[in-house]
Amino acid sequence: VVGSLWTMQAARVRDREVRDALSESIGRVHTISLVHQAMYGAGGIDRLAFGDYLGMLAAHLGDLYGGADAEIRVQGDNPTLSLETAVPLALIVHEALANALAHAFPGGRKGVVVITVAYAPGGVRLTIEDDGAGLSADSRDGLGMRIMRTLAAQVGASLEVTSSAAGTRVAVSRANSTA
């Protein structure tokens, strides 16, 4: 409902920068909505099979960003996460994947984005890696990066972002899977 309201509002906005900001927020709301849909669809309201969810999220963002230029792979384990852990991690994946799909493969360049979730001591490890152009200077300190840092701290995890001309890697370590 919130996403639909913002979509209607964005359609009325003439300023491209404001419309783009609203579109990014709509995407974040949709990511949260997908978590809840997956939980309710599985018959529960407090736990989420996160690997399965990542497949849904990747397909959604691939469609949204016209993923023809990038192949998205989801691999690894399928940990069951609490809502309190799943939503922040889903939003981290959203930020990293949306950035990769929007910016990592300019000019129709083909590429691959790999999302890996794995059990780790004390929780889970999550990585989002692309073989794209690397982060721009603006992206290194942008809103998306601040959102990812805040969300990682919220679930008691460390966030490591590395980037070069050979691609970008976002790693979240030791997010408590039982929070």
Side-chain angles (χ1 to χ4, degrees):
V1 172
V2 172
S4 295
L5 291 171
W6 284 357
T7 299
M8 289 188 292
Q9 184 67 42
R12 299 185 64 200
V13 173
R14 296 187 193 281
D15 184 296
R16 180 166 176 78
E17 188 174 329
V18 172
R19 192 173 48 249
D20 288 348
L22 279 171
S23 292
E24 289 175 9
S25 292
I26 291 165
R28 292 177 186 117
V29 167
H30 190 74
T31 293
I32 295 168
S33 153
L34 282 176
V35 168
H36 288 87
Q37 285 176 348
M39 284 181 159
Y40 291 122
I45 57 170
D46 62 343
R47 309 296 288 169
L48 176 68
F50 198 66
D52 293 342
Y53 167 78
L54 288 175
M56 290 178 9
L57 179 60
H60 168 70
L61 289 176
D63 290 344
L64 185 65
Y65 285 91
D69 295 336
E71 176 188 351
I72 305 168
R73 298 181 195 148
V74 177
Q75 62 188 29
D77 300 322
N78 193 18
T80 301
L81 303 180
S82 69
L83 180 64
E84 293 81 12
T85 300
V87 169
L89 291 182
L91 287 168
I92 290 170
V93 172
H94 173 96
E95 292 299 323
L97 183 55
N99 186 66
L101 295 174
H103 304 292
F105 309 107
R109 176 180 165 188
K110 300 289 183 191
V112 177
V113 181
V114 179
I115 303 167
T116 306
V117 62
Y119 291 105
V124 297
R125 179 168 178 79
L126 177 65
T127 58
I128 306 96
E129 300 177 81
D130 68 65
D131 61 355
L135 291 175
S136 68
D138 289 343
S139 293
R140 291 176 191 270
D141 293 317
L143 177 60
M145 196 64 65
R146 290 192 310 264
I147 288 171
M148 287 192 296
R149 282 188 205 110
T150 300
L151 293 167
Q154 182 179 329
V155 293
S158 63
L159 177 75
E160 180 184 345
V161 179
T162 55
S163 185
S164 70
T168 300
R169 182 174 189 266
V170 175
V172 180
S173 298
R174 284 176 261 143
N176 184 354
S177 62
T178 60

